[in-house]
Amino acid sequence: MEVKKLKDCCTIIAGQSPESKYYNTNGDGLPFFQGKADFGELYPSIRVYCSQPTKIAEKDDILLSVRAPVGPTNLAPCKVCIGRGLTAIRPSEALLTRYVLLFFRYFEAQLASKGTGTTFKAITQDVVKNLEIPIPPILEQERIVARIEELFSQLDAGVTTLKKTKAQLAVYRQAVLKEAFGTIAERVLLGDISESRLGKMLDKEKNTGVPRKYLRNINVRWFRFDLTDLLEMRIEDDEIEKYSICKGDLVICEGGEPGRCAVWQRDDALFYQKALHRVRFTDCSNPLFYMYYLWYAAQTGQLKPYYTGTGIKHLTGQSLVKVPVPTAGKEIQNNTVAEIESRLSVCDSIEQTVDTALQQAEAMRQSILKKSFEGRL
């Protein structure tokens, strides 16, 4: 089979970002894509336009992400302007566009490995131009494309069913929590039953004391903590009580995804920065009861009135204490938590099975591409 370098069988257009003053969102000019951010399954979503485009891709040119990340592909939905994060590839008459697109998706991981750079990975135009692609006769290209798309269609049907199942699980989770909290009529302000404090400001120049591991916003997920990448900040001995998380504390994100929270249930203490609230209940409440309620309130939009900020949203200390929450006796709280966890554990088990199946589907997709371009399909 003939093998050619991409520069010998395709037109290659390196992206170049226009001046930002020419960007707009009112449809003036050509749709503008800077990189992978707007990519979809096949075509990107149009959000930004450019009134004075520099580099232009034509309809159905292959858009290759060449920086942060390297390798993903889409097709141009029409004539578009492309920024420096993209390269447009226009196959010659000897190549089918779909064949080249599928080849790049087969080759994506290998292409990503060619990326260089410390801050973010990127590939040069020389790398793109010198990529080698097998070129079978057009009829064979058509057969390969047809076979891949037939198998992908069968795979997509299964993936669609799995994704519907995940969506149904999300609806079921909300129903579980609505049932749990919807029957509790009495409300109090969170500040009436707890004490909250923001963590320590991270300032490498001014902070003194002993380096100690601390939680960032990114370490707090819904219902759990991700402790795989804890950093350190300097904390004085007399600040230990002030900025430590102890067993039973409810930790709530101030920004990022305001309200996202988890309960610290370990015996060892940990410190936390200013992007987080530490909430300690003064009435012996079960913190898990309020953790689940805040998830329900966030999902149903009940926390939105307490957010501040126009772009990035925050849940400040002043707003947090004003959030109305259901109140109930300790026994009812404990029973409610037990019922929620019993029902959600079934959801979690099903979702884990679905996620595993989705991963297997993606692996199968790559296997189909690999066999196709190695002549084994």
Side-chain angles (χ1 to χ4, degrees):
M1 183 187 304
E2 185 179 18
V3 176
K4 286 188 175 182
K5 291 183 177 180
L6 209 63
K7 65 182 179 181
D8 296 327
C9 57
C10 297
T11 299
I12 300 170
I13 303 118
Q16 181 181 347
S17 300
E19 293 184 51
S20 59
K21 64 182 179 182
Y22 300 125
Y23 300 174
N24 67 88
T25 56
N26 58 15
D28 181 17
L30 294 180
F32 172 57
F33 301 117
Q34 182 71 274
K36 178 188 177 290
D38 296 315
F39 276 15
E41 179 60 34
L42 189 59
Y43 293 102
S45 300
I46 299 172
R47 292 186 304 112
V48 179
Y49 292 79
C50 178
S51 59
Q52 291 198 26
T54 47
K55 292 300 183 75
I56 295 173
E58 299 293 337
K59 185 180 186 305
D60 285 333
D61 281 355
I62 296 166
L63 304 179
L64 170 67
S65 178
V66 292
R67 64 202 304 265
V70 172
T73 49
N74 258 200
L75 295 178
C78 54
K79 180 181 286 190
V80 301
C81 174
I82 56 172
R84 61 177 180 166
L86 296 176
T87 289
I89 298 167
R90 190 177 304 147
S92 69
E93 293 181 357
L95 284 165
L96 296 176
T97 296
R98 287 279 181 158
Y99 173 82
V100 180
L101 177 69
L102 290 169
F103 176 78
F104 267 99
R105 293 191 169 183
Y106 152 70
F107 196 68
E108 182 175 330
Q110 298 173 62
L111 188 58
S113 69
K114 298 178 183 293
T116 58
T118 52
T119 306
F120 53 80
K121 300 296 182 183
I123 53 172
T124 65
Q125 287 301 297
D126 282 341
V127 170
V128 177
K129 291 176 180 177
N130 288 291
L131 291 174
E132 294 185 336
I133 181 170
I135 307 179
I138 286 290
L139 288 178
E140 178 62 9
Q141 292 180 43
E142 290 175 347
R143 186 197 70 81
I144 291 172
V145 170
R147 183 59 176 153
I148 291 174
E149 292 187 343
E150 177 190 359
L151 294 173
F152 276 12
S153 178
Q154 297 170 9
L155 200 57
D156 289 342
V159 168
T160 297
T161 300
L162 290 169
K163 288 182 177 179
K164 283 182 180 178
T165 300
K166 286 200 71 167
Q168 290 167 348
L169 288 172
V171 172
Y172 176 73
R173 283 191 174 95
Q174 287 194 23
V176 168
L177 294 174
K178 181 178 181 180
E179 181 180 332
F181 297 111
T183 58
I184 302 176
E186 188 175 352
R187 292 287 192 272
V188 295
L189 300 183
L190 185 59
D192 291 340
I193 57 173
S194 66
E195 294 176 347
S196 62
R197 175 187 288 278
L198 284 168
K200 183 172 182 178
M201 175 71 76
L202 180 61
D203 189 330
K204 293 181 179 180
E205 294 183 359
K206 295 182 179 180
N207 287 353
T208 59
V210 179
R212 307 176 196 266
K213 292 187 182 300
Y214 72 96
L215 292 172
R216 295 173 289 157
N217 181 291
I218 197 172
N219 298 123
V220 181
R221 315 312 300 170
W222 280 113
F223 312 157
R224 65 183 179 84
F225 294 92
D226 180 357
L227 306 180
T228 56
D229 61 343
L230 293 180
L231 303 182
E232 291 184 342
M233 75 163 82
R234 293 186 175 275
I235 294 178
E236 297 282 2
D237 288 345
D238 60 2
E239 295 178 315
I240 290 177
E241 168 58 26
K242 190 176 181 181
Y243 297 124
S244 63
I245 301 288
C246 299
K247 189 173 184 177
D249 286 343
L250 177 62
V251 184
I252 302 174
C253 293
E254 189 270 348
E257 185 183 359
R260 189 175 68 222
C261 60
V263 174
W264 188 253
Q265 300 191 69
R266 295 168 52 139
D267 291 323
D268 53 324
L270 195 60
F271 299 92
Y272 69 113
Q273 70 165 154
K274 196 174 180 179
L276 300 171
H277 298 281
R278 180 191 69 190
V279 176
R280 287 179 176 167
F281 290 93
T282 55
D283 65 345
C284 298
S285 285
N286 185 335
L288 295 170
F289 179 81
Y290 292 101
M291 176 188 75
Y292 287 122
Y293 175 74
L294 287 175
W295 183 86
Y296 170 66
Q299 294 298 309
T300 54
Q302 295 179 50
L303 283 184
K304 284 186 178 180
Y306 302 93
Y307 297 160
T308 61
T310 53
I312 300 175
K313 301 300 182 183
H314 294 273
L315 182 61
T316 66
Q318 293 90 338
S319 295
L320 180 65
V321 296
K322 297 176 183 176
V323 173
V325 294
T327 182
K330 189 67 176 288
E331 183 177 355
I332 292 176
Q333 290 184 16
N334 292 343
N335 290 340
T336 300
V337 168
E339 180 65 18
I340 289 172
E341 293 187 339
S342 173
R343 296 172 71 177
L344 292 189
S345 66
V346 176
C347 270
D348 293 341
S349 178
I350 296 171
E351 187 163 39
Q352 185 174 5
T353 301
V354 170
D355 286 340
T356 299
L358 286 170
Q359 292 171 4
Q360 291 171 341
E362 183 56 33
M364 192 176 298
R365 197 181 303 275
Q366 291 304 312
S367 176
I368 290 169
L369 290 171
K370 181 178 172 62
K371 289 180 179 179
S372 297
F373 288 103
E374 290 179 355
R376 297 186 288 119
L377 192 65

